[in-house]
């Protein structure tokens, strides 16, 4: 089954052609990151305008790179939420028009579910430790696929959720953030420290330049919220803010700070080191995410944990979780970096598992900016 996936929920415009939810024939992503960088975050009106100018070239390139024609396709899949309304509309309207014109099935896809299904994509990247577990009878299991029951840590720009997935399509929410999402915390702290946008990669890069001779220069708070699988990152963000304000580290009127102009070597201001502060922040986020994920994996007895969403690109998080889970015989899986952040291949991957069950969307499908994963009640 050959599916065209379309993704336009935020500031990336993506189109991809994927066979059977796994084999990538093409994957095209046009990013606006350099445009939004000057504002320190995504400006919705600017994002939707650029979605509009990017969508047709991106679609044409995806077809050309796959060597596919419209008649080769079995369906068109598109993100309908969550995301920015104006951006989502560009992808959804294009998908509807194409499905109608080509008489192809249309399927609306939940962007968060798609982040999870990025783990089904076959890539050359050795992202997963091989699992010897036997597949559950989920109806469509191929060697190399994630094995149910799964625990998913969904960590994107706006969501942080620990989710138990016993089989395709069932999502049981174990815990979620009570304030900022993990990615949001990375973005806000990067902005406080004047490190640029998107914040996650900027913090990860800055942390690599920390002065290891002072390993625990900064002790950052961790919100453990005992007895729950919930998260909270706003206190941590405020702690960084207070330290940075005290040392006048943040962005200046010209939009850049001394760290950006002169590099890490010159970043010690008022006795504070931006790289060390970035590293301490990252360590706190990683510690809480990894500790809670490990505990949930043990309690639920899963054999595999999957990471989903942009923050899954974070190398220290991947390394910490893999090291924590391995002694328990639990495999950690995550997509290659390009498939952790927004892309259309994951939309086509998720769509396959819906389309093969005969699911379709009507042409009255509308965008759902606040869409959540379709959580089932635990125990129901
Ligand atoms: O999934 P995604 O691309 O978009 C949403 O669906 O939100 O996630 C974007 C988020 C941003 O907050 C970005 O800073 C974060 O993922 N991110 C990272 C890394 N790469 C992207 N966070 C930490 N480390 C990274 N390497
Ligand atoms: Zn995303």
């Amino acid at each position: 089954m050959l599916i065209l996936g379309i993704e336009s929920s935020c500031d990336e415009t993506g189109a991809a052609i994927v066979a059977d939810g796994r084999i990538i024939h093409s994957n095209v992503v046009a990013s606006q990151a350099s445009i939004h960088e000057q504002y320190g975050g995504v400006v919705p009106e600017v994002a939707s305008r650029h979605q509009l100018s990017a969508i047709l070239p991106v679609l044409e390139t995806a077809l050309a790179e796959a060597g596919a024609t419209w008649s080769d396709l079995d369906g068109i899949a598109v993100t309908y939420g969550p995301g920015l309304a104006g951006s989502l509309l560009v992808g959804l309207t294009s998908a509807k028009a194409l499905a109608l014109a080509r008489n192809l099935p249309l399927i609306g896809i939940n962007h968060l579910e798609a982040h999870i299904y990025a783990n089904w994509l076959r890539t050359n990247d050795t992202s997963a430790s091989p699992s010897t577990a036997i597949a559950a009878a989920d109806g469509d299991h191929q060697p190399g696929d994630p094995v149910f029951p799964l625990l998913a840590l969904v960590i994107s720009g706006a969501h942080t959720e620990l989710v138990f997935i016993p089989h395709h399509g069932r999502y049981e929410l174990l815990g979620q953030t009570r304030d900022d999402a993990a990615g949001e915390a990375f973005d806000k702290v990067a902005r406080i420290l004047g490190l640029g946008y998107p914040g996650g990669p900027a913090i990860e890069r800055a942390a690599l330049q920390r002065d290891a001779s002072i390993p625990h220069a900064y002790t950052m708070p961790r919100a453990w919220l005992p007895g729950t699988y919930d998260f909270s990152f706003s206190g941590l963000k405020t702690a960084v803010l207070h330290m940075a304000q005290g040392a006048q580290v943040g962005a200046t009127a010209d939009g850049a700070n001394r760290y950006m102009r002169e590099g890490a070597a010159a970043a010690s201001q008022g006795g504070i080191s931006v790289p060390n502060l970035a590293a301490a922040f990252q360590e706190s986020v990683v510690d809480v995410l990894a500790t809670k994920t490990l505990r949930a994996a043990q309690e639920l007895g899963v054999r595999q944990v999957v990471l989903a969403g942009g923050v899954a690109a974070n190398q220290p998080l991947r390394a910490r979780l893999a090291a924590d889970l391995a002694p328990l015989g639990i495999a950690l899986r995550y997509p290659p970096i390009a498939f952790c952040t927004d892309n259309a291949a994951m939309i086509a991957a998720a769509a396959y598992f819906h389309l093969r069950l005969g699911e379709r969307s009507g042409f009255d499908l509308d965008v759902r900016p606040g869409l959540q994963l379709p959580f089932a009640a635990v125990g129901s």
Side-chain angles (χ1 to χ4, degrees), residues 299-358:
E299 190 180 290
L300 294 159
V302 298
R303 309 309 317 149
Q304 287 196 353
V305 172
V306 297
L307 300 181
V311 185
N314 189 267
Q315 301 286 2
L317 174 66
R318 294 168 166 208
R320 163 77 186 268
L321 256 176
D324 285 0
L325 292 168
L328 303 169
I330 303 171
L332 178 70
R333 304 180 62 116
Y334 42 77
I337 288 177
F339 297 96
C340 287
T341 49
D342 291 346
N343 66 88
M346 68 183 193
I347 306 301
Y352 166 75
F353 293 94
H354 287 287
L355 284 170
R356 78 185 176 90
L357 300 175

Short mmCIF file of all heavy atoms in Angstrom, two decimals, residues 299-358:
data_model
loop_
_atom_site.label_atom_id
_atom_site.label_comp_id
_atom_site.label_asym_id
_atom_site.label_seq_id
_atom_site.Cartn_x
_atom_site.Cartn_y
_atom_site.Cartn_z
N GLU A 299 7.18 -1.06 36.02
CA GLU A 299 5.87 -1.34 36.62
C GLU A 299 4.94 -2.04 35.64
O GLU A 299 4.20 -2.94 36.00
CB GLU A 299 5.24 -0.04 37.10
CG GLU A 299 3.98 -0.28 37.95
CD GLU A 299 3.37 1.04 38.41
OE1 GLU A 299 3.97 1.70 39.26
OE2 GLU A 299 2.28 1.38 37.90
N LEU A 300 5.02 -1.64 34.36
CA LEU A 300 4.12 -2.22 33.36
C LEU A 300 4.67 -3.50 32.75
O LEU A 300 3.96 -4.21 32.03
CB LEU A 300 3.85 -1.19 32.26
CG LEU A 300 3.07 0.03 32.72
CD1 LEU A 300 3.28 1.19 31.79
CD2 LEU A 300 1.58 -0.30 32.84
N GLY A 301 5.94 -3.77 32.97
CA GLY A 301 6.53 -4.99 32.43
C GLY A 301 6.66 -5.00 30.92
O GLY A 301 6.59 -6.06 30.30
N VAL A 302 6.89 -3.83 30.31
CA VAL A 302 7.06 -3.79 28.85
C VAL A 302 8.46 -4.27 28.48
O VAL A 302 9.38 -4.20 29.29
CB VAL A 302 6.82 -2.37 28.27
CG1 VAL A 302 5.41 -1.91 28.54
CG2 VAL A 302 7.83 -1.38 28.83
N ARG A 303 8.62 -4.76 27.25
CA ARG A 303 9.93 -5.17 26.76
C ARG A 303 10.57 -4.09 25.89
O ARG A 303 11.74 -4.17 25.56
CB ARG A 303 9.84 -6.48 25.93
CG ARG A 303 9.10 -7.63 26.56
CD ARG A 303 9.54 -7.99 27.98
NE ARG A 303 10.98 -7.99 28.18
CZ ARG A 303 11.56 -7.68 29.35
NH1 ARG A 303 10.83 -7.32 30.39
NH2 ARG A 303 12.86 -7.72 29.47
N GLN A 304 9.76 -3.13 25.45
CA GLN A 304 10.30 -2.06 24.60
C GLN A 304 9.73 -0.71 25.01
O GLN A 304 8.56 -0.60 25.37
CB GLN A 304 9.96 -2.30 23.13
CG GLN A 304 10.76 -3.42 22.50
CD GLN A 304 10.69 -3.39 20.98
OE1 GLN A 304 9.95 -2.62 20.39
NE2 GLN A 304 11.47 -4.26 20.36
N VAL A 305 10.60 0.30 24.91
CA VAL A 305 10.19 1.69 25.12
C VAL A 305 10.49 2.44 23.82
O VAL A 305 11.56 2.26 23.23
CB VAL A 305 10.97 2.32 26.29
CG1 VAL A 305 10.70 3.81 26.40
CG2 VAL A 305 10.63 1.61 27.60
N VAL A 306 9.55 3.26 23.35
CA VAL A 306 9.82 4.08 22.17
C VAL A 306 9.79 5.55 22.54
O VAL A 306 9.00 5.98 23.38
CB VAL A 306 8.81 3.82 21.00
CG1 VAL A 306 8.92 2.40 20.49
CG2 VAL A 306 7.39 4.14 21.40
N LEU A 307 10.68 6.31 21.92
CA LEU A 307 10.69 7.76 22.07
C LEU A 307 9.99 8.36 20.86
O LEU A 307 10.13 7.87 19.75
CB LEU A 307 12.11 8.30 22.17
CG LEU A 307 12.98 7.78 23.32
CD1 LEU A 307 14.36 8.44 23.29
CD2 LEU A 307 12.30 8.03 24.66
N ALA A 308 9.25 9.45 21.08
CA ALA A 308 8.52 10.08 19.98
C ALA A 308 8.52 11.58 20.15
O ALA A 308 8.35 12.09 21.27
CB ALA A 308 7.08 9.56 19.96
N GLY A 309 8.72 12.32 19.05
CA GLY A 309 8.69 13.79 19.10
C GLY A 309 10.08 14.39 19.03
O GLY A 309 11.09 13.70 19.20
N GLY A 310 10.12 15.69 18.82
CA GLY A 310 11.38 16.39 18.56
C GLY A 310 12.44 16.20 19.64
O GLY A 310 13.63 16.09 19.34
N VAL A 311 12.04 16.15 20.92
CA VAL A 311 13.03 16.03 22.00
C VAL A 311 13.69 14.64 21.99
O VAL A 311 14.76 14.45 22.56
CB VAL A 311 12.38 16.36 23.37
CG1 VAL A 311 13.40 16.35 24.49
CG2 VAL A 311 11.69 17.72 23.32
N ALA A 312 13.07 13.69 21.29
CA ALA A 312 13.68 12.35 21.14
C ALA A 312 14.99 12.43 20.37
O ALA A 312 15.77 11.47 20.36
CB ALA A 312 12.71 11.40 20.46
N ALA A 313 15.25 13.57 19.73
CA ALA A 313 16.52 13.75 19.01
C ALA A 313 17.68 13.99 19.97
O ALA A 313 18.83 13.91 19.58
CB ALA A 313 16.41 14.94 18.04
N ASN A 314 17.36 14.26 21.23
CA ASN A 314 18.40 14.64 22.20
C ASN A 314 19.30 13.45 22.55
O ASN A 314 18.86 12.46 23.14
CB ASN A 314 17.71 15.19 23.47
CG ASN A 314 18.70 15.79 24.43
OD1 ASN A 314 19.17 15.12 25.33
ND2 ASN A 314 19.03 17.05 24.23
N GLN A 315 20.58 13.58 22.22
CA GLN A 315 21.52 12.46 22.41
C GLN A 315 21.73 12.08 23.87
O GLN A 315 21.72 10.90 24.21
CB GLN A 315 22.88 12.77 21.76
CG GLN A 315 22.83 13.04 20.27
CD GLN A 315 22.62 11.80 19.41
OE1 GLN A 315 22.46 10.70 19.94
NE2 GLN A 315 22.57 11.98 18.11
N PRO A 316 21.93 13.05 24.77
CA PRO A 316 22.09 12.66 26.18
C PRO A 316 20.88 11.91 26.73
O PRO A 316 21.03 10.98 27.53
CB PRO A 316 22.28 14.00 26.90
CG PRO A 316 22.84 14.92 25.86
CD PRO A 316 22.17 14.49 24.57
N LEU A 317 19.68 12.28 26.29
CA LEU A 317 18.48 11.56 26.75
C LEU A 317 18.49 10.13 26.23
O LEU A 317 18.23 9.17 26.97
CB LEU A 317 17.21 12.28 26.28
CG LEU A 317 15.91 11.53 26.59
CD1 LEU A 317 15.66 11.45 28.09
CD2 LEU A 317 14.70 12.16 25.89
N ARG A 318 18.80 9.97 24.93
CA ARG A 318 18.85 8.63 24.35
C ARG A 318 19.86 7.75 25.08
O ARG A 318 19.58 6.59 25.42
CB ARG A 318 19.25 8.71 22.88
CG ARG A 318 18.25 9.41 22.00
CD ARG A 318 18.87 9.70 20.65
NE ARG A 318 17.87 10.07 19.68
CZ ARG A 318 17.99 9.86 18.37
NH1 ARG A 318 19.07 9.31 17.88
NH2 ARG A 318 17.04 10.21 17.55
N ALA A 319 21.06 8.33 25.32
CA ALA A 319 22.14 7.55 25.94
C ALA A 319 21.75 7.16 27.37
O ALA A 319 21.96 6.01 27.78
CB ALA A 319 23.42 8.38 25.94
N ARG A 320 21.20 8.09 28.12
CA ARG A 320 20.85 7.83 29.51
C ARG A 320 19.77 6.73 29.60
O ARG A 320 19.89 5.78 30.38
CB ARG A 320 20.37 9.13 30.16
CG ARG A 320 19.60 8.97 31.45
CD ARG A 320 20.49 8.68 32.66
NE ARG A 320 19.65 8.40 33.82
CZ ARG A 320 19.24 9.32 34.69
NH1 ARG A 320 19.62 10.57 34.56
NH2 ARG A 320 18.46 8.97 35.70
N LEU A 321 18.73 6.86 28.77
CA LEU A 321 17.64 5.89 28.84
C LEU A 321 18.10 4.51 28.37
O LEU A 321 17.74 3.49 28.98
CB LEU A 321 16.47 6.36 27.98
CG LEU A 321 15.28 6.93 28.75
CD1 LEU A 321 14.23 7.44 27.78
CD2 LEU A 321 14.67 5.91 29.71
N ALA A 322 18.87 4.48 27.29
CA ALA A 322 19.36 3.19 26.80
C ALA A 322 20.18 2.50 27.88
O ALA A 322 20.03 1.30 28.13
CB ALA A 322 20.20 3.39 25.54
N ALA A 323 21.04 3.27 28.58
CA ALA A 323 21.89 2.69 29.63
C ALA A 323 21.06 2.23 30.83
O ALA A 323 21.37 1.20 31.44
CB ALA A 323 22.93 3.72 30.07
N ASP A 324 20.02 2.97 31.16
CA ASP A 324 19.17 2.59 32.30
C ASP A 324 18.33 1.35 32.00
O ASP A 324 18.09 0.52 32.88
CB ASP A 324 18.21 3.74 32.66
CG ASP A 324 18.91 4.87 33.40
OD1 ASP A 324 20.13 4.76 33.63
OD2 ASP A 324 18.24 5.87 33.73
N LEU A 325 17.85 1.25 30.75
CA LEU A 325 16.90 0.17 30.41
C LEU A 325 17.61 -1.14 30.08
O LEU A 325 17.07 -2.23 30.35
CB LEU A 325 16.03 0.59 29.21
CG LEU A 325 15.02 1.72 29.48
CD1 LEU A 325 14.44 2.24 28.17
CD2 LEU A 325 13.89 1.26 30.40
N ALA A 326 18.82 -1.05 29.51
CA ALA A 326 19.51 -2.26 29.04
C ALA A 326 19.68 -3.32 30.13
O ALA A 326 19.40 -4.51 29.88
CB ALA A 326 20.86 -1.88 28.42
N PRO A 327 20.12 -2.96 31.35
CA PRO A 327 20.31 -4.01 32.37
C PRO A 327 19.01 -4.75 32.70
O PRO A 327 19.05 -5.86 33.22
CB PRO A 327 20.80 -3.23 33.60
CG PRO A 327 21.28 -1.92 33.09
CD PRO A 327 20.49 -1.63 31.86
N LEU A 328 17.87 -4.14 32.41
CA LEU A 328 16.58 -4.78 32.69
C LEU A 328 16.09 -5.59 31.50
O LEU A 328 14.98 -6.15 31.52
CB LEU A 328 15.53 -3.71 33.05
CG LEU A 328 15.89 -2.80 34.23
CD1 LEU A 328 14.93 -1.63 34.32
CD2 LEU A 328 15.87 -3.60 35.53
N GLY A 329 16.88 -5.61 30.42
CA GLY A 329 16.47 -6.35 29.22
C GLY A 329 15.38 -5.64 28.45
O GLY A 329 14.65 -6.25 27.67
N ILE A 330 15.26 -4.33 28.67
CA ILE A 330 14.23 -3.55 27.95
C ILE A 330 14.93 -2.77 26.84
O ILE A 330 15.92 -2.07 27.08
CB ILE A 330 13.50 -2.57 28.90
CG1 ILE A 330 12.87 -3.33 30.08
CG2 ILE A 330 12.45 -1.77 28.14
CD1 ILE A 330 12.32 -2.42 31.17
N ALA A 331 14.42 -2.93 25.61
CA ALA A 331 15.04 -2.25 24.47
C ALA A 331 14.49 -0.84 24.33
O ALA A 331 13.30 -0.61 24.55
CB ALA A 331 14.77 -3.04 23.19
N LEU A 332 15.37 0.09 23.99
CA LEU A 332 14.95 1.46 23.70
C LEU A 332 14.99 1.67 22.20
O LEU A 332 15.98 1.34 21.55
CB LEU A 332 15.88 2.47 24.39
CG LEU A 332 15.53 3.94 24.10
CD1 LEU A 332 14.23 4.34 24.78
CD2 LEU A 332 16.66 4.86 24.53
N ARG A 333 13.91 2.22 21.65
CA ARG A 333 13.87 2.52 20.22
C ARG A 333 13.60 4.00 20.03
O ARG A 333 12.83 4.58 20.79
CB ARG A 333 12.74 1.75 19.53
CG ARG A 333 12.79 0.27 19.70
CD ARG A 333 11.62 -0.34 18.96
NE ARG A 333 11.73 -0.05 17.55
CZ ARG A 333 11.88 -0.98 16.61
NH1 ARG A 333 11.94 -2.25 16.92
NH2 ARG A 333 11.97 -0.64 15.35
N TYR A 334 14.19 4.55 19.01
CA TYR A 334 13.89 5.94 18.66
C TYR A 334 14.19 6.11 17.18
O TYR A 334 15.06 5.44 16.62
CB TYR A 334 14.69 6.92 19.50
CG TYR A 334 16.13 6.54 19.73
CD1 TYR A 334 17.09 6.72 18.73
CD2 TYR A 334 16.53 5.98 20.93
CE1 TYR A 334 18.41 6.37 18.94
CE2 TYR A 334 17.86 5.61 21.15
CZ TYR A 334 18.79 5.81 20.15
OH TYR A 334 20.09 5.45 20.36
N PRO A 335 13.47 7.01 16.52
CA PRO A 335 13.74 7.21 15.09
C PRO A 335 15.05 7.98 14.92
O PRO A 335 15.48 8.67 15.84
CB PRO A 335 12.55 8.08 14.64
CG PRO A 335 11.54 8.01 15.75
CD PRO A 335 12.32 7.78 17.01
N PRO A 336 15.67 7.89 13.72
CA PRO A 336 16.81 8.77 13.43
C PRO A 336 16.38 10.23 13.59
O PRO A 336 15.19 10.53 13.48
CB PRO A 336 17.14 8.47 11.97
CG PRO A 336 16.48 7.18 11.66
CD PRO A 336 15.31 7.05 12.59
N ILE A 337 17.34 11.11 13.84
CA ILE A 337 17.00 12.50 14.19
C ILE A 337 16.02 13.14 13.20
O ILE A 337 15.05 13.78 13.60
CB ILE A 337 18.28 13.33 14.33
CG1 ILE A 337 19.00 12.90 15.62
CG2 ILE A 337 18.00 14.84 14.35
CD1 ILE A 337 20.31 13.57 15.90
N ALA A 338 16.25 12.94 11.90
CA ALA A 338 15.40 13.58 10.90
C ALA A 338 13.96 13.12 10.99
O ALA A 338 13.04 13.79 10.50
CB ALA A 338 15.94 13.30 9.50
N PHE A 339 13.72 11.96 11.62
CA PHE A 339 12.35 11.45 11.74
C PHE A 339 11.79 11.65 13.15
O PHE A 339 10.67 11.25 13.44
CB PHE A 339 12.29 9.98 11.32
CG PHE A 339 12.66 9.80 9.87
CD1 PHE A 339 13.95 9.46 9.50
CD2 PHE A 339 11.72 10.03 8.88
CE1 PHE A 339 14.29 9.33 8.16
CE2 PHE A 339 12.04 9.91 7.54
CZ PHE A 339 13.34 9.55 7.17
N CYS A 340 12.62 12.25 14.05
CA CYS A 340 12.12 12.65 15.37
C CYS A 340 11.39 13.97 15.25
O CYS A 340 10.33 14.18 15.81
CB CYS A 340 13.26 12.82 16.36
SG CYS A 340 14.01 11.28 16.90
N THR A 341 12.01 14.91 14.51
CA THR A 341 11.37 16.20 14.31
C THR A 341 10.33 16.05 13.19
O THR A 341 10.21 14.99 12.58
CB THR A 341 12.43 17.27 13.96
OG1 THR A 341 13.27 16.76 12.93
CG2 THR A 341 13.29 17.56 15.17
N ASP A 342 9.57 17.12 12.94
CA ASP A 342 8.40 16.98 12.07
C ASP A 342 8.76 16.57 10.65
O ASP A 342 9.66 17.13 10.02
CB ASP A 342 7.62 18.30 12.07
CG ASP A 342 6.95 18.53 13.42
OD1 ASP A 342 6.89 17.58 14.22
OD2 ASP A 342 6.48 19.66 13.65
N ASN A 343 8.04 15.58 10.15
CA ASN A 343 8.25 15.06 8.80
C ASN A 343 6.95 14.41 8.34
O ASN A 343 6.06 14.14 9.15
CB ASN A 343 9.40 14.04 8.81
CG ASN A 343 9.07 12.81 9.62
OD1 ASN A 343 8.50 11.84 9.10
ND2 ASN A 343 9.35 12.82 10.92
N ALA A 344 6.85 14.14 7.05
CA ALA A 344 5.62 13.57 6.52
C ALA A 344 5.67 12.05 6.43
O ALA A 344 4.62 11.40 6.33
CB ALA A 344 5.31 14.17 5.15
N ALA A 345 6.87 11.46 6.48
CA ALA A 345 6.96 10.00 6.40
C ALA A 345 6.21 9.37 7.58
O ALA A 345 5.52 8.35 7.44
CB ALA A 345 8.43 9.57 6.40
N MET A 346 6.32 10.01 8.75
CA MET A 346 5.63 9.45 9.93
C MET A 346 4.11 9.55 9.77
O MET A 346 3.38 8.72 10.31
CB MET A 346 6.10 10.15 11.21
CG MET A 346 5.68 11.61 11.31
SD MET A 346 6.38 12.37 12.81
CE MET A 346 5.40 13.91 12.88
N ILE A 347 3.65 10.54 9.03
CA ILE A 347 2.20 10.69 8.80
C ILE A 347 1.71 9.53 7.93
O ILE A 347 0.68 8.90 8.21
CB ILE A 347 1.88 12.05 8.11
CG1 ILE A 347 2.48 13.22 8.90
CG2 ILE A 347 0.38 12.21 7.87
CD1 ILE A 347 2.00 13.38 10.32
N ALA A 348 2.49 9.22 6.89
CA ALA A 348 2.14 8.11 6.00
C ALA A 348 2.24 6.78 6.74
O ALA A 348 1.46 5.85 6.49
CB ALA A 348 3.04 8.12 4.77
N ALA A 349 3.22 6.67 7.67
CA ALA A 349 3.38 5.42 8.44
C ALA A 349 2.15 5.16 9.31
O ALA A 349 1.58 4.07 9.30
CB ALA A 349 4.65 5.50 9.30
N ALA A 350 1.74 6.19 10.05
CA ALA A 350 0.55 6.03 10.92
C ALA A 350 -0.69 5.75 10.08
O ALA A 350 -1.55 4.94 10.46
CB ALA A 350 0.35 7.29 11.75
N ALA A 351 -0.77 6.40 8.92
CA ALA A 351 -1.96 6.25 8.07
C ALA A 351 -2.15 4.81 7.60
O ALA A 351 -3.29 4.32 7.52
CB ALA A 351 -1.84 7.17 6.86
N TYR A 352 -1.05 4.14 7.33
CA TYR A 352 -1.14 2.76 6.85
C TYR A 352 -1.94 1.88 7.81
O TYR A 352 -2.79 1.10 7.40
CB TYR A 352 0.27 2.19 6.64
CG TYR A 352 0.27 0.69 6.47
CD1 TYR A 352 -0.16 0.12 5.27
CD2 TYR A 352 0.67 -0.15 7.50
CE1 TYR A 352 -0.18 -1.26 5.12
CE2 TYR A 352 0.66 -1.53 7.36
CZ TYR A 352 0.23 -2.08 6.16
OH TYR A 352 0.19 -3.44 6.02
N PHE A 353 -1.65 2.06 9.13
CA PHE A 353 -2.30 1.20 10.12
C PHE A 353 -3.79 1.55 10.29
O PHE A 353 -4.56 0.74 10.80
CB PHE A 353 -1.54 1.26 11.45
CG PHE A 353 -0.17 0.64 11.32
CD1 PHE A 353 0.94 1.41 11.03
CD2 PHE A 353 -0.02 -0.73 11.43
CE1 PHE A 353 2.19 0.82 10.87
CE2 PHE A 353 1.22 -1.33 11.27
CZ PHE A 353 2.33 -0.55 11.00
N HIS A 354 -4.20 2.72 9.84
CA HIS A 354 -5.63 3.06 9.83
C HIS A 354 -6.29 2.60 8.52
O HIS A 354 -7.36 2.00 8.53
CB HIS A 354 -5.80 4.58 9.98
CG HIS A 354 -5.51 5.08 11.37
ND1 HIS A 354 -6.36 4.85 12.43
CD2 HIS A 354 -4.47 5.77 11.86
CE1 HIS A 354 -5.84 5.40 13.53
NE2 HIS A 354 -4.69 5.95 13.21
N LEU A 355 -5.61 2.89 7.42
CA LEU A 355 -6.22 2.57 6.11
C LEU A 355 -6.41 1.07 5.93
O LEU A 355 -7.38 0.62 5.33
CB LEU A 355 -5.36 3.14 4.98
CG LEU A 355 -5.46 4.65 4.75
CD1 LEU A 355 -4.39 5.12 3.77
CD2 LEU A 355 -6.85 5.04 4.24
N ARG A 356 -5.47 0.29 6.47
CA ARG A 356 -5.60 -1.17 6.27
C ARG A 356 -6.81 -1.72 7.02
O ARG A 356 -7.27 -2.82 6.73
CB ARG A 356 -4.31 -1.89 6.68
CG ARG A 356 -4.13 -2.06 8.16
CD ARG A 356 -2.81 -2.66 8.54
NE ARG A 356 -2.68 -2.69 10.00
CZ ARG A 356 -3.08 -3.71 10.75
NH1 ARG A 356 -3.59 -4.80 10.21
NH2 ARG A 356 -2.98 -3.64 12.06
N LEU A 357 -7.33 -0.95 8.00
CA LEU A 357 -8.54 -1.36 8.71
C LEU A 357 -9.79 -0.78 8.04
O LEU A 357 -10.90 -0.92 8.55
CB LEU A 357 -8.48 -0.89 10.16
CG LEU A 357 -7.32 -1.43 11.01
CD1 LEU A 357 -7.32 -0.78 12.39
CD2 LEU A 357 -7.41 -2.95 11.12
N GLY A 358 -9.58 -0.12 6.91
CA GLY A 358 -10.72 0.43 6.17
C GLY A 358 -11.16 1.81 6.66
O GLY A 358 -12.19 2.32 6.23
#
